[in-house]
Amino acid sequence: MKFLIVTGLSGSGKSGAVNALEDIGYYCIDNIPPQLIPKFADICLQSNGQMDKVAIVTDIRGGDMFYQLDGGLEYLRHSGPDVKILFLDASDDVLIKRYKETRRRHPLDEQCHGSLLSAITKERAVLSSIREAADYYIDTTDMSMAQLRDTVTDLFMDNPDDRMAVKVMSFGFKYGMCREADLVLDVRCLPNPYYIPELKKHTGLESCVRDYVMSFEQSRELEKKLFDLVDFLLPLYRQEGKTSLVIAFGCTGGKHRSVTFAENMHTYLEEKGVRTRVTHRDIEVGKL
């Protein structure tokens, strides 16, 4: 039996993740007290296979009961289920924005005297140990609900012939690092189309920019070496049981060079039969 513990920061998208899990066949329960987890697991184990994939959400809403999670996990690991932990996170700024948009109160609001930032900081401290123990980590800072659903589906859908999903993305270093990346590949060493007046307002999704970026020998040589690197790494990641890999290409603004290389890598992997998708984090930032 697959038994998934879903936890993380309040406002990080746990409800959206559970909805996606339910869509791919998981039996899901939200906000279960940790001390009930072992009893619920026993019920699942006695269901004669009717509940072979289970996801439960447990988090700081459980109050003091949440601190008993370690005991529940220890029991589970000795009772038979294949237990994994999915941890969802997001930046403080995004969590604050989400709370303001929904006008909901943080579970630690009273303890922190109405200070939302203090509540988030305290929650991070409480969850630090379980974050370190998590088997899967999703940073939803820059994700839409649809992107979160796709990420969860890629991670947990049953597909024995293709267990690894690769997400290729572009980003701009000037807007911050890509926190969810497993591999960050910096292409700022290449000539920048931003300084070509007729290319400045275009992006790497357009042939005029792609042709310019790839017109240089160093660009073509770098692309070849990066393709070789990924060809070498993918089998090693699969061998270690990794089910999701995020490859992020970064340039200064996230619109030209990184987009070009992300698109080329996505095409390359698709042609090799790798389950992959591509996103561009900063391509619309500052666009009029």
Side-chain angles (χ1 to χ4, degrees):
M1 183 181 72
K2 295 180 180 179
F3 202 97
L4 182 65
I5 307 289
V6 181
T7 190
L9 274 292
S10 301
S12 61
K14 297 187 293 295
S15 296
V18 167
N19 289 339
L21 288 165
E22 197 167 45
D23 288 342
I24 59 175
Y26 275 75
Y27 184 90
C28 301
I29 294 183
D30 188 17
N31 197 18
I32 185 170
Q35 63 266 45
L36 294 182
I37 292 176
K39 296 179 181 179
F40 178 67
D42 288 340
I43 294 172
C44 296
L45 289 168
Q46 296 167 17
S47 69
N48 296 320
Q50 296 181 47
M51 300 170 70
D52 60 343
K53 295 192 299 181
V54 176
I56 62 171
V57 179
T58 185
D59 53 35
I60 202 67
R61 288 174 294 172
D64 291 341
M65 294 183 292
F66 184 71
Y67 295 99
Q68 302 176 37
L69 180 59
D70 286 344
L73 289 173
E74 188 68 21
Y75 176 87
L76 286 176
R77 292 189 174 111
H78 288 88
S79 61
D82 177 19
V83 183
K84 300 293 184 183
I85 300 172
L86 167 63
F87 191 96
L88 285 91
D89 198 357
S91 69
D92 290 355
D93 289 344
V94 167
L95 292 175
I96 290 171
K97 180 182 177 183
R98 290 173 182 172
Y99 265 98
K100 288 183 177 180
E101 288 175 348
T102 61
R103 298 186 179 181
R104 296 183 62 195
R105 293 176 62 193
H106 192 280
L108 299 179
D109 182 75
E110 289 188 9
Q111 294 184 36
C112 297
H113 308 291
S115 170
L116 182 53
L117 181 57
S118 296
I120 293 171
T121 301
K122 183 172 183 177
E123 186 178 21
R124 284 197 188 281
V126 171
L127 296 176
S128 60
S129 60
I130 193 169
R131 173 181 172 174
E132 292 299 319
D135 301 281
Y136 306 97
Y137 174 86
I138 300 177
D139 186 328
T140 66
T141 298
D142 302 301
M143 284 187 181
S144 66
M145 192 58 68
Q147 290 170 330
L148 173 59
R149 183 177 60 249
D150 289 343
T151 299
V152 171
T153 300
D154 287 344
L155 279 173
F156 299 106
M157 70 184 299
D158 288 328
N159 190 345
D161 295 325
D162 186 9
R163 293 191 179 275
M164 175 177 279
V166 178
K167 177 181 177 181
V168 184
M169 63 184 300
S170 66
F171 73 98
F173 280 98
K174 69 186 293 184
Y175 302 115
M177 279 292 294
C178 178
R179 293 165 44 128
E180 65 176 301
D182 297 294
L183 295 175
V184 175
L185 304 173
D186 187 350
V187 294
R188 289 176 294 181
C189 56
L190 302 175
N192 192 351
Y194 178 85
Y195 297 109
I196 308 298
E198 59 267 30
L199 298 178
K200 180 177 180 179
K201 293 185 178 181
H202 294 273
T203 75
L205 294 177
E206 299 168 86
S207 59
C208 57
V209 171
R210 291 199 305 271
D211 291 345
Y212 175 83
V213 171
M214 301 310 300
S215 68
F216 299 94
E217 182 179 353
Q218 60 263 42
S219 299
R220 297 190 295 273
E221 185 66 19
L222 177 60
E223 180 183 70
K224 179 179 180 300
K225 291 181 182 297
L226 293 179
F227 285 174
D228 288 344
L229 174 65
V230 171
D231 284 341
F232 175 75
L233 289 176
L234 286 184
L236 300 181
Y237 281 125
R238 290 194 185 98
Q239 185 178 335
E240 289 300 311
K242 192 169 181 62
T243 55
S244 177
L245 181 71
V246 180
I247 303 172
F249 289 91
C251 64
T252 304
K255 294 177 176 59
H256 300 105
R257 294 164 293 180
S258 62
V259 174
T260 296
F261 269 73
E263 287 289 327
N264 289 355
M265 179 65 76
H266 174 246
T267 300
Y268 176 75
L269 292 175
E270 272 201 330
E271 290 175 350
K272 294 176 69 69
V274 177
R275 184 157 54 97
T276 182
R277 56 194 177 89
V278 62
T279 63
H280 304 294
R281 191 189 77 178
D282 300 321
I283 197 168
E284 297 292 334
V285 176
K287 188 175 181 180
L288 298 177

